Amino acid sequence: MNAGVPTTSGLLSRQRASPYPRPAILASNAPDAPGHAKQRPRPLITHSRSGSASTTLTVVLPKEQVPVNDLVQLARKAFSLKDFVTAFHYLTRALTIAPKDINLLDSRAASLEKIGRLEDALADAKSMIRNQPQNPKGYLRAGKVLRLQQNFKSSAKIFIAGAERCDKENKEYEALREARVLDPMERLPFELVMVVFDSLSFTERVRCLIISKKWMAYLGSVRHFWHSIDLAKRIPSPVRTPRHALYLPAQPDQEPNNKVTNKTVLSLVKYTPPKVLRLGCAQQVSSGLLTQLSKMKRTTALETISLRTNTKIFEQELSLFWSTTPNLRCVDLHGCPGVTDTVVNSLLDRCPLLEELDISECRTTEACVMINYAVPLRSMRKLVFGRWEAPFAKEGIDALVSKFPNLVTLDIRTMRPRGIEALESLGRLVHLRHLFTDSVETTGDQTTTFVLQRWLEGIPDLESLQMNACKGVSDSMIQLIAAGHTETESGRRGWSHSLRMLDLSSSPYLTSEGLSFLRTHPLPSLHTLLLNKCGRVSEQGLRDVVASSGGELCRLECAGYRSVSDKLLMDIRDHCPKIEVLQLANSGQVTGIGLMALVNERGRGLERVCLDDCTTVGVDAVERARTVLGDSGRISHRFHRTHR
Amino acid sequence: MPVILVSSDSQEFKVDKEVAERSILIKNMLEDVGESDSPIPLPNVTATVLTKVIEYCEHHRNDPVQVPDETDDPRKRSNDIEEWDMKFMQVDQEMLFEIILAANYLDIKPLLDVGCKTVANIIKGKTPEEIRKAFNIVNDFTPEEEAQIKKENEWAEDR
């Protein structure tokens, strides 16, 4: 037994009769000394008899020696049992017999590494290099130890030196070439590392946190990486919006984002107070997060916050939160029942820089704009507002217009105004560019026309108009939009010069005649036209629209017309050079001829053509069209069991 | 008019002035030196790397000089490496870093951009384990620490 070393492994204590002679002094100290120990001249031993494990034991063995191979075997066994200290001692013994054996040195260096005695391991590795400068093993071991000592530069140098000096036939040479330090964080100066990380997205940077401590430390130290915390599943950014979706109202992000919890957010804001905090539909986040953020003083720089359909955030914490976020510009709290009138009032009071606000489907009523409507919030540009269960009266809209006089975008698709007359005062929004409504009730088309006239008088440059499913939409409305009405002093020319998006889908009283008016008074800037399922519109009307106003048309949706045939497709081919998206589902008479004609001419720009439920288009025609488009275009040709 | 460049291991390279001037450093040097024919020493660039750099400059000798655009969104830029550049950058990691460092020293911005984008592309779309393997990085987190970080950043797995 090795005196001075506690026997940690069962292997050694279980050793019984060893067939090999042991040095007498050691045998006599062993508790279970077998009777085989022979008497022999006392060996020369120098060792210190302290009880610690880090004793170095130098033993000069007597002439009857343990063969090296057995020692190596024992050392290997000890290694596998993770008893590195014992392995070290065995190997040391072996090395006294064969001090220049490179493999023994390598194994000993390995065990020293594991014990933690890196300096000694390095010494061994250096002896390996001294003894056999052509063998890569020495360099590999030395480089590995240096790396463990965090000395990367020397490590890289040794690997390179090794690669140069070793003979290339050796199979270890490949390992040497592979083992260089290639961590960009080590090799490149910090400005360049920053350039590399700048071109990654936020998520990718977060994934890099776990790579190594050095990476985490570096990433954590660069503040501007953490200014914008974007955890939402949907990644909206102006860079990624395709051209054909430019004028569509924002598609709601409804996918629940359940992996985001309070802890997640708090762990990401620790680097710097964020400017943007987008959590998507994070339904596991609770009020505690807001309180914590305020306490940690992480809210002072906050400009954008987005948290949708979250039921765990409550009124009280929300109201208090705004007092710590004076710089807020964009707030998106769609679908959070914790957002009440009190919360909205508190927000409008405390955040004078507010520009965008989405509180649709929250628990708000008219009261939130009617209180304090005399103090306008001039910075407000974009408002998404309304809850179906809470109908909005005219007074509410008036108050809204007074409160936000500089609105540019108003999305009240989720609102139920008490009739279209309630929306009359929208005409006072001089800067309005985008107006989205849905299913507005109306008593008749005259009221609607009247309201539209008010709008035309007050709003000079409307770019988007959506009035889905409104019974009041009639042919006179098209005339007004395209030609204005010359009865008033202003002699407005309608919105023909500015209108880019028009959505009058599901208008039951719109007819082809109304659309034909556009032949003489076109809408030249029209980019997006949605006219799905208007019961009284026929193909002729659509053809007139396309022929007169198709010059800039990028997105056209006219699904659900039994009369639509190849003639319309030919017109699109002829008059719409910029067309990208076509929705022609349920078109009764479209065939492969029209499809091929369109695809052959406009195929390069086409992004999507939807021909679902078009029974008259053959499958082979669709295939041919798909081959023409190659990968760039997509044609949808599915069949559902829909009823019209 | 040929210019002679000398690498750190004393190897000489003869290149056209136009090609050499893709490097702003060399351009400035030439302006200072004037019409003399003396070779330009580049003590920080070895011969193998200098060969590669010269190859790049030769191919791009006719490119317009890029005005640095401050408003350029850095996130957009990573996708558009041209095909020749991509093939050019298919070297081992060691050489990639050397090229980037040389481009930094010689002040050749387009080459520097391409190099950094290439490194970024190596990082993109890989799991942490794959990134470690690509760059030979030792994971020095304890298993508990690693598990905790992973748990905190679970959300990143889906995107």
Side-chain angles (χ1 to χ4, degrees):
Chain A
M1 292 292 197
N2 292 333
V5 174
T7 49
T8 50
S9 80
L11 169 73
L12 296 172
S13 56
R14 267 186 263 119
Q15 248 179 357
R16 299 275 179 258
S18 155
Y20 297 101
R22 291 213 225 142
I25 181 106
L26 298 176
S28 61
N29 281 341
D32 52 349
H36 289 181
K38 296 186 191 149
Q39 292 305 313
R40 59 178 87 88
R42 213 170 154 234
L44 209 63
I45 295 173
T46 51
H47 65 114
S48 54
R49 275 169 146 276
S50 64
S52 69
S54 56
T55 331
T56 36
L57 182 68
T58 331
V59 179
V60 175
L61 290 176
K63 286 190 205 122
E64 289 103 321
Q65 289 173 10
V66 180
V68 172
N69 281 336
D70 290 318
L71 284 171
V72 171
Q73 288 288 350
L74 291 168
R76 207 173 281 163
K77 267 195 204 150
F79 224 97
S80 64
L81 291 166
K82 303 227 190 290
D83 180 9
F84 302 115
V85 181
T86 321
F88 164 70
H89 284 287
Y90 277 123
L91 288 165
T92 314
R93 282 174 64 175
L95 273 164
T96 56
I97 305 172
K100 301 220 172 171
D101 187 331
I102 196 170
N103 290 320
L104 289 178
L105 280 170
D106 197 24
S107 314
R108 190 167 81 163
S111 47
L112 279 167
E113 248 178 62
K114 298 284 184 189
I115 301 174
R117 287 164 57 177
L118 297 175
E119 286 301 322
D120 296 335
L122 190 59
D124 273 346
K126 286 192 178 157
S127 335
M128 283 166 74
I129 298 179
R130 257 199 309 275
N131 291 331
Q132 281 196 30
Q134 299 283 332
N135 195 325
K137 280 193 186 170
Y139 302 97
L140 276 169
R141 178 62 57 191
K144 188 172 171 207
V145 173
L146 282 167
R147 206 191 286 175
L148 284 173
Q149 287 180 317
Q150 306 285 318
N151 191 346
F152 295 108
K153 292 214 166 48
S154 307
S155 172
K157 280 197 194 145
I158 280 228
F159 283 135
I160 295 174
E164 283 167 18
R165 288 190 225 158
C166 295
D167 52 78
K168 301 187 180 8
E169 269 65 54
N170 197 317
K171 58 177 163 46
E172 305 273 339
Y173 181 72
E174 274 313 305
L176 193 63
R177 284 205 64 220
E178 296 296 309
R180 294 152 301 173
V181 167
L182 298 171
D183 187 348
M185 203 72 73
E186 306 291 339
R187 299 295 297 274
L188 299 176
F190 280 132
E191 323 78 75
L192 297 182
V193 177
M194 189 173 310
V195 172
V196 169
F197 278 112
D198 263 338
S199 47
L200 297 177
S201 75
F202 179 75
T203 323
E204 284 156 1
R205 286 198 282 263
V206 169
R207 280 207 211 112
C208 289
L209 281 175
I210 204 178
I211 301 274
S212 77
K213 285 192 181 159
K214 190 150 183 145
W215 280 50
M216 183 182 249
Y218 174 73
L219 287 168
S221 69
V222 180
R223 290 233 170 132
H224 73 257
F225 288 157
W226 304 102
H227 275 161
S228 174
I229 295 186
D230 193 341
L231 307 178
K233 283 210 168 173
R234 165 92 58 85
I235 313 165
S237 98
V239 177
R240 288 189 195 224
T241 311
R243 228 186 118 237
H244 55 84
L246 271 180
Y247 286 98
L248 289 179
Q251 306 294 342
D253 176 11
Q254 304 280 29
E255 207 184 330
N257 199 3
N258 284 328
K259 294 209 174 145
V260 174
T261 61
N262 287 6
K263 247 194 187 173
T264 318
V265 182
L266 290 171
S267 75
L268 291 170
V269 301
K270 67 181 179 234
Y271 304 105
T272 185
K275 286 194 184 155
V276 171
L277 190 58
R278 287 189 58 245
L279 304 175
C281 299
Q283 291 166 345
Q284 301 299 323
V285 168
S286 72
S287 284
L289 176 66
L290 299 180
T291 340
Q292 277 288 349
L293 284 174
S294 308
K295 226 197 279 181
M296 286 165 64
K297 300 218 184 335
R298 287 297 185 228
T299 53
T300 41
L302 204 58
E303 289 179 11
T304 303
I305 181 164
S306 164
L307 177 59
R308 302 170 67 97
T309 62
N310 179 300
T311 50
K312 297 189 182 176
I313 297 231
F314 299 125
E315 181 180 1
Q316 189 177 12
E317 285 84 359
L318 271 173
S319 308
L320 292 173
F321 186 64
W322 312 127
S323 46
T324 59
T325 58
N327 289 319
L328 263 186
R329 275 166 229 271
C330 303
V331 174
D332 180 358
L333 290 168
H334 163 94
C336 296
V339 176
T340 58
D341 295 333
T342 332
V343 170
V344 178
N345 278 322
S346 170
L347 171 63
L348 297 175
D349 274 339
R350 307 294 179 97
C351 302
L353 299 173
L354 205 56
E355 287 176 11
E356 294 183 14
L357 181 58
D358 183 341
I359 41 176
S360 47
E361 307 287 12
C362 296
R363 227 178 256 154
T364 50
T365 66
E366 300 152 321
C368 67
V369 279
M370 290 184 75
I371 298 176
N372 226 1
Y373 72 91
V375 179
L377 191 59
R378 294 194 188 280
S379 53
M380 186 67 84
R381 301 262 171 279
K382 178 171 169 179
L383 184 63
V384 185
F385 193 52
R387 186 161 73 103
W388 200 254
E389 291 82 22
F392 233 72
K394 190 168 189 311
E395 296 78 32
I397 300 283
D398 291 348
L400 193 141
V401 171
S402 308
K403 182 88 190 165
F404 308 123
N406 294 334
L407 270 183
V408 173
T409 305
L410 182 59
D411 184 343
I412 42 177
R413 288 176 291 164
T414 47
M415 183 195 279
R416 199 165 126 217
R418 284 192 197 279
I420 187 117
E421 342 41 285
L423 297 180
E424 183 191 337
S425 45
L426 290 182
R428 293 198 339 243
L429 291 170
V430 178
H431 301 279
L432 196 65
R433 292 269 192 279
H434 310 279
L435 178 60
F436 305 109
T437 70
D438 198 335
S439 308
V440 177
E441 297 161 349
T442 167
T443 46
D445 75 320
Q446 286 205 333
T447 339
T448 317
T449 319
F450 171 72
V451 166
L452 199 68
Q453 281 178 348
R454 288 282 153 280
W455 290 357
L456 277 164
E457 281 169 16
I459 306 171
D461 300 310
L462 197 66
E463 283 183 15
S464 309
L465 179 61
Q466 175 174 5
M467 289 192 72
N468 281 350
C470 179
K471 293 210 181 85
V473 169
S474 64
D475 296 343
S476 40
M477 197 162 147
I478 303 281
Q479 289 185 20
L480 280 175
I481 294 175
H485 58 124
T486 46
E487 290 142 23
T488 58
E489 332 69 60
S490 38
R492 310 214 60 82
R493 55 191 193 296
W495 291 317
S496 59
H497 62 286
S498 59
L499 200 65
R500 298 253 159 83
M501 186 269 208
L502 185 60
D503 183 352
L504 298 173
S505 301
S506 308
S507 305
Y509 296 111
L510 189 63
T511 73
S512 290
E513 269 189 33
L515 294 176
S516 302
F517 183 79
L518 293 174
R519 259 192 300 197
T520 45
H521 296 81
L523 299 168
S525 331
L526 202 59
H527 176 281
T528 301
L529 180 62
L530 276 60
L531 278 174
N532 298 315
K533 295 199 181 83
C534 298
R536 297 212 172 117
V537 169
S538 70
E539 191 191 25
Q540 187 56 45
L542 294 170
R543 289 182 65 193
D544 286 335
V545 178
V546 166
S548 61
S549 314
E552 295 286 320
L553 200 58
C554 183
R555 184 187 196 100
L556 175 61
E557 293 193 18
C558 43
Y561 294 103
R562 233 182 304 162
S563 55
V564 160
S565 71
D566 291 340
K567 289 193 221 154
L568 180 64
L569 288 181
M570 306 291 191
D571 276 351
I572 296 174
R573 177 196 64 180
D574 294 334
H575 295 108
C576 304
K578 302 189 182 177
I579 193 81
E580 285 181 23
V581 172
L582 262 185
Q583 163 66 274
L584 293 165
N586 263 310
S587 297
Q589 295 174 33
V590 173
T591 73
I593 302 173
L595 176 62
M596 287 309 295
L598 176 67
V599 159
N600 281 330
E601 182 77 25
R602 299 286 166 219
R604 210 170 333 143
L606 267 180
E607 280 287 322
R608 234 178 285 152
V609 177
C610 177
L611 290 165
D612 292 348
D613 293 312
C614 292
T615 45
T616 41
V617 180
V619 179
D620 48 328
V622 173
E623 278 312 310
R624 256 182 291 138
R626 279 191 182 128
T627 16
V628 171
L629 289 178
D631 280 329
S632 59
R634 265 168 277 147
I635 306 186
S636 165
H637 192 225
R638 289 173 296 191
F639 286 89
H640 317 102
R641 283 226 247 123
T642 51
H643 53 277
R644 297 260 315 279
Chain B
M1 216 202 82
V3 168
I4 304 179
L5 305 172
V6 185
S7 70
S8 61
D9 34 5
S10 313
Q11 201 171 330
E12 293 198 349
F13 294 84
K14 212 179 224 180
V15 291
D16 285 343
K17 187 165 186 217
E18 191 186 36
V19 172
E21 285 192 342
R22 302 299 304 180
S23 152
I24 308 293
L25 180 81
I26 296 182
K27 185 168 180 220
N28 291 343
M29 273 190 195
L30 287 175
E31 278 173 11
D32 291 341
V33 156
E35 280 301 314
S36 106
D37 258 337
S38 54
I40 297 183
L42 299 171
N44 284 356
V45 188
T46 63
T48 36
V49 179
L50 191 53
T51 325
K52 275 296 245 183
V53 171
I54 290 176
E55 188 188 332
Y56 180 88
C57 294
E58 283 275 359
H59 186 262
H60 287 268
R61 65 191 294 166
N62 293 323
D63 282 0
V65 178
Q66 278 182 336
V67 178
D69 190 354
E70 291 302 321
T71 60
D72 205 3
D73 184 0
R75 229 177 298 149
K76 271 201 293 183
R77 284 194 258 133
S78 232
N79 297 327
D80 42 5
I81 307 183
E82 31 169 278
E83 211 184 309
W84 188 91
D85 286 349
M86 218 182 295
K87 281 217 183 86
F88 176 79
M89 281 296 177
Q90 269 169 10
V91 292
D92 66 4
Q93 307 268 40
E94 188 74 43
M95 179 60 89
L96 177 61
F97 290 137
E98 297 290 336
I99 293 178
I100 294 178
L101 291 169
N104 192 30
Y105 169 67
L106 293 169
D107 200 351
I108 309 175
K109 193 164 187 323
L111 180 57
L112 188 58
D113 276 344
V114 171
C116 290
K117 272 187 228 169
T118 312
V119 177
N121 283 340
I122 296 176
I123 298 179
K124 271 187 197 209
K126 287 209 170 68
T127 68
E129 200 43 62
E130 286 166 357
I131 297 179
R132 283 195 205 113
K133 195 158 187 293
F135 291 127
N136 255 339
I137 299 176
V138 172
N139 180 6
D140 49 359
F141 286 117
T142 68
E144 300 82 36
E145 287 173 343
E146 195 175 342
Q148 190 198 359
I149 301 173
K150 241 187 172 171
K151 188 150 185 293
E152 272 173 3
N153 294 325
E154 259 189 310
W155 60 272
E157 307 300 323
D158 289 342
R159 289 170 69 189

